[in-house]
Amino acid sequence: MREFKLQIPALTREPNTSCSEIVAEAAFALASGIIDTIPFIGCKLDEQQARAWPRSGVFTDDGIEMTGTPPEIFELCELLAGHIERGSSFDVFEVFHKIARIDRLIDWSHGAVLSPEPHPVTH
């Protein structure tokens, strides 16, 4: 299983960071990590890049290559981070709506969820 390392840059940059700022940054880092597990189309711009976005080979409906991170990715991240920060349950319909907005960016041939280990099918 892959190890997930949560790094909170605010602690190393500014040791006097408030607890609420640390929690908010940790929630955003965790939400970003969750989004990075989605099998997006295209390729990372650089294999050394930590985040899933930006990517190459991803085009708008007009045929123009996307050069940055689509706003829908930020919106999903903000939604997830908000729930994580508050410690509240996710609203399945709200999350599904955000994921539906990025449906065109997901490579569904890899499945809906990335799993670090194969799960045997039993009948």
Side-chain angles (χ1 to χ4, degrees):
M1 188 167 152
R2 272 189 343 206
E3 181 180 336
F4 178 72
K5 294 181 181 178
L6 182 64
Q7 296 181 357
I8 305 172
L11 287 176
T12 57
R13 285 192 317 264
E14 184 60 48
N16 297 326
T17 305
S18 73
C19 185
S20 61
E21 291 172 320
I22 292 169
V23 169
E25 189 162 340
F28 188 81
L30 184 54
S32 297
I34 291 168
I35 291 171
D36 288 338
T37 67
I38 297 173
F40 292 108
I41 60 174
C43 300
K44 291 180 179 182
L45 291 180
D46 178 2
E47 283 303 315
Q48 303 305 316
Q49 155 181 333
R51 301 264 72 107
W53 286 89
R55 302 181 77 77
S56 64
V58 182
F59 299 88
T60 66
D61 292 338
D62 299 332
I64 300 167
E65 188 166 20
M66 291 183 187
T67 56
T69 304
E72 296 92 345
I73 300 294
F74 290 116
E75 292 169 13
L76 176 59
C77 190
E78 288 173 357
L79 173 71
L80 296 176
H83 284 285
I84 293 167
E85 185 177 354
R86 291 186 304 276
S88 63
S89 300
F90 292 107
D91 178 333
V92 171
F93 296 106
E94 188 178 23
V95 172
F96 178 77
H97 174 73
K98 294 291 185 190
I99 291 173
R101 292 190 63 216
I102 63 169
D103 177 70
R104 72 188 191 290
L105 304 173
I106 299 173
D107 183 354
W108 292 106
S109 69
H110 287 102
V113 178
L114 291 181
S115 177
E117 301 171 10
H119 298 284
V121 177
T122 57
H123 296 283

